[in-house]
Amino acid sequence: EPKERPDLKAEGDYTGHVKRYSFKSQSVIELLKELRLKFDDELTKMDTEETNSLNAFQLSEQARKQLRDAKDASRTEKKTIHGDTEAKKIQAESDRGSAQGDLDADEKTLADTKKSCNVKKMEWAERSKTRSNEIKAMEAAVEILAKVTGVRTEAPS
């Protein structure tokens, strides 16, 4: 079946036969503008969060590096102290060994000196006893000679 033709307007009545378009998309445009603003806000928020997260990571990384550096410095210092202490210990053990050797030598010298003194003491006691006996013998001899010869041996009083 043939289609019906629309009513045609007369020539020269251009404005009359042009259909006017009534704009009905205002609410869609407003919705798109709101979505655009929301997207921009979310993008700004996400950029800020990402920047904050990156800054926090960098601070954390810097803190870990400082902690590692402090740990390494502490380890180096402790190794130095340990080395110094070990050297002092070795020196002290050497000094102790030397002092022990000196002590042993001094104790041997003391023992030898005491032994020598005891020998001299006994020799002195023996000589003193011998001298004492000799003096007694001389006094007895003088007495005997005085009796036999009649010579006076005592000093006048």
Side-chain angles (χ1 to χ4, degrees):
E1 230 177 270
K3 265 189 172 179
E4 266 191 54
R5 295 179 96 190
D7 290 337
L8 294 175
K9 308 250 179 182
E11 186 178 336
D13 189 14
Y14 181 74
T15 58
H17 73 272
V18 175
K19 291 187 178 180
R20 298 209 178 252
Y21 175 75
S22 63
F23 187 69
K24 299 175 189 160
S25 301
Q26 187 62 33
S27 63
V28 173
I29 291 176
E30 289 301 318
L31 177 66
L32 289 174
K33 285 181 180 179
E34 286 176 18
L35 286 174
R36 174 66 185 230
L37 287 175
K38 183 178 176 185
F39 173 76
D40 287 344
D41 289 345
E42 287 178 359
L43 181 62
T44 303
K45 180 181 174 187
M46 290 176 75
D47 283 345
T48 302
E49 288 174 357
E50 185 178 351
T51 302
N52 289 342
S53 176
L54 185 59
N55 287 341
F57 173 77
Q58 289 173 345
L59 287 174
S60 173
E61 188 69 23
Q62 184 180 12
R64 282 192 297 273
K65 183 183 181 309
Q66 288 174 347
L67 185 62
R68 274 192 308 271
D69 292 347
K71 181 185 70 167
D72 291 343
S74 175
R75 180 182 296 137
T76 301
E77 180 183 359
K78 287 178 183 177
K79 281 183 179 180
T80 302
I81 290 170
H82 178 71
D84 293 346
T85 304
E86 198 65 29
K88 288 178 184 177
K89 177 186 168 200
I90 291 170
Q91 182 62 41
E93 287 174 349
S94 173
D95 292 347
R96 180 178 177 264
S98 176
Q100 187 64 43
D102 291 347
L103 176 64
D104 292 344
D106 289 347
E107 286 177 346
K108 184 181 181 311
T109 302
L110 177 62
D112 291 346
T113 302
K114 282 184 177 181
K115 185 177 177 183
S116 174
C117 285
N118 283 337
V119 167
K120 288 182 182 182
K121 180 180 174 183
M122 290 188 326
E123 288 175 352
W124 174 258
E126 189 178 319
R127 282 195 312 262
S128 293
K129 184 178 178 186
T130 303
R131 296 299 166 256
S132 174
N133 287 339
E134 286 176 350
I135 290 173
K136 285 181 186 174
M138 292 288 274
E139 287 175 352
V142 168
E143 261 182 51
I144 292 173
L145 282 175
K147 282 184 186 177
V148 172
T149 60
V151 177
R152 196 169 81 181
T153 57
E154 295 175 8
S157 40

